[in-house]
Amino acid sequence: MAEITASMVKELREKTDAPMMECKKALTEAAGDMDKAEEILRVKLGSKASKAASRVAAEGVVAMYISADGKLGSILEINSETDFVAKNDDFLKLAADCAALVATKNPADIAALSALELDGGTVESLRTGLIGKIGENMSLRRFVRFEAKGRLASYLHGGSKIGVMVDVVGGDESLAKDIAMHIAASKPKSLDASGVPPELLETERRIAIEKARESGKPEAMLEKIAEGTVQKYLRDVTLLGQVFVKAADGKQTIEQLLKAKAASVASFTLYVVGEGIEKKVTDFAAEVAAQAAAAAENK
């Protein structure tokens, strides 16, 4: 049987907000499998254990470019080690310049973007030069280029930590801005159900069945209960199914809003800086103690 360590319990606790003892029990039941343990907790504890597992790790900004006619654009994430550097003028210029290059030059990937000419050198030479000047690592992480079917709109939030670009067909500029703002606030996973990975739906279905079974629901009702749970999940995570954040009645969905405006969303991209990157947490007290011990040994 796998050994359940304190660090494993701590990791599961941070992912789920569940009590320490419940985390240990779940890990024991799951034989140390972190994903399975999280499922077990969600069955036993419900929404209290459904906290997003990803923790923002890197600093940086989201940069965007939209052409004057709103037909060509890009969204790009560039990372730095600290938020201080993410506010540096040279860093922000590099981010903006790279976003423009993505839109106008259409590089295939980060390597191709890095090789493009910029300010008398290449993107890569400017990046490495800036690292040498500032003394902190920085990296180009990801980008998406848009050739709009309609017109592009964008929204930045939290000092460029959250960025959205959306291609809206029909409607007007105000509607497009509202849709972009809604995406930043509600963070849909996809436009509609077709964009949700089947494994996520299967996980929701399995958890719903186990929760219903544990609560004593008849076996004959489990599939119907699970289907209702999956449909609710889809309403929560798809853009078209979500309730518009500015809905006056608190009920109008994005799909209904778009229909009322004779508009549609062709595509969108949402970036949250550092999303999914594990951040190294430094114990400064321990670090100082270690440095003091090392200095004492060298005397």
Side-chain angles (χ1 to χ4, degrees), residues 60-298:
V61 295
V62 175
M64 289 184 279
Y65 172 91
I66 297 179
S67 61
D69 62 2
K71 292 292 186 179
L72 187 66
S74 68
I75 179 170
L76 171 143
E77 179 185 351
I78 181 171
N79 298 125
S80 59
E81 291 182 44
T82 64
D83 188 51
F84 178 76
V85 168
K87 296 173 182 176
N88 176 277
D89 288 341
D90 291 334
F91 179 83
L92 293 174
K93 181 180 184 304
L94 177 63
D97 287 345
C98 285
L101 284 173
V102 168
T104 57
K105 301 297 184 181
N106 193 19
D109 51 28
I110 292 295
L113 171 60
S114 298
L116 291 176
E117 293 184 6
L118 179 62
D119 292 345
T122 64
V123 169
E124 179 61 15
S125 66
L126 289 174
R127 184 187 72 86
T128 55
L130 198 54
I131 290 172
K133 176 182 176 181
I134 295 176
E136 182 173 309
N137 191 29
M138 56 195 69
S139 61
L140 296 162
R141 185 185 181 196
R142 53 183 174 169
F143 63 78
V144 173
R145 182 176 183 269
F146 286 79
E147 291 184 7
K149 294 181 180 179
R151 185 179 179 87
L152 296 173
S154 63
Y155 182 79
L156 283 170
H157 181 74
S160 300
K161 300 299 183 186
I162 299 173
V164 174
M165 186 162 287
V166 59
D167 179 2
V168 179
V169 181
D172 54 23
E173 185 176 349
S174 176
L175 173 66
K177 286 288 185 183
D178 277 347
I179 297 296
M181 181 199 67
H182 170 93
I183 293 169
S186 299
K187 299 179 177 59
K189 294 182 182 295
S190 67
L191 177 61
D192 55 29
S194 67
V196 180
E199 57 269 24
L200 290 183
L201 299 183
E202 182 55 34
T203 296
E204 293 301 315
R205 184 181 301 278
R206 186 168 59 247
I207 290 171
I209 287 174
E210 290 305 317
K211 287 174 69 174
R213 184 175 285 136
E214 286 204 358
S215 67
K217 299 294 184 183
E219 287 290 324
M221 292 180 58
L222 298 186
E223 284 298 331
K224 184 176 181 180
I225 291 170
E227 182 58 28
T229 299
V230 167
Q231 291 306 313
K232 180 182 184 303
Y233 174 76
L234 287 173
R235 290 194 296 272
D236 290 341
V237 302
T238 59
L239 175 61
L240 297 184
Q242 290 178 338
V243 174
F244 179 38
V245 292
K246 293 172 66 175
D249 62 358
K251 297 180 180 179
Q252 185 184 40
T253 65
I254 292 295
E255 185 173 28
Q256 292 167 339
L257 171 66
L258 290 168
K259 186 176 181 180
K261 300 287 187 177
S264 63
V265 171
S267 63
F268 73 88
T269 295
L270 163 69
Y271 280 167
V272 178
V273 169
E275 184 178 41
I277 304 175
E278 193 68 30
K279 187 173 183 178
K280 180 180 179 181
V281 179
T282 302
D283 184 335
F284 289 104
E287 186 175 310
V288 170
Q291 289 175 352
E297 287 180 4
N298 293 329

Side-chain angles (χ1 to χ4, degrees), residues 31-43:
D33 185 317
M34 191 65 67
D35 292 336
K36 181 62 178 176
E38 189 171 350
E39 271 195 33
I40 290 169
L41 284 174
R42 288 188 61 191
V43 169

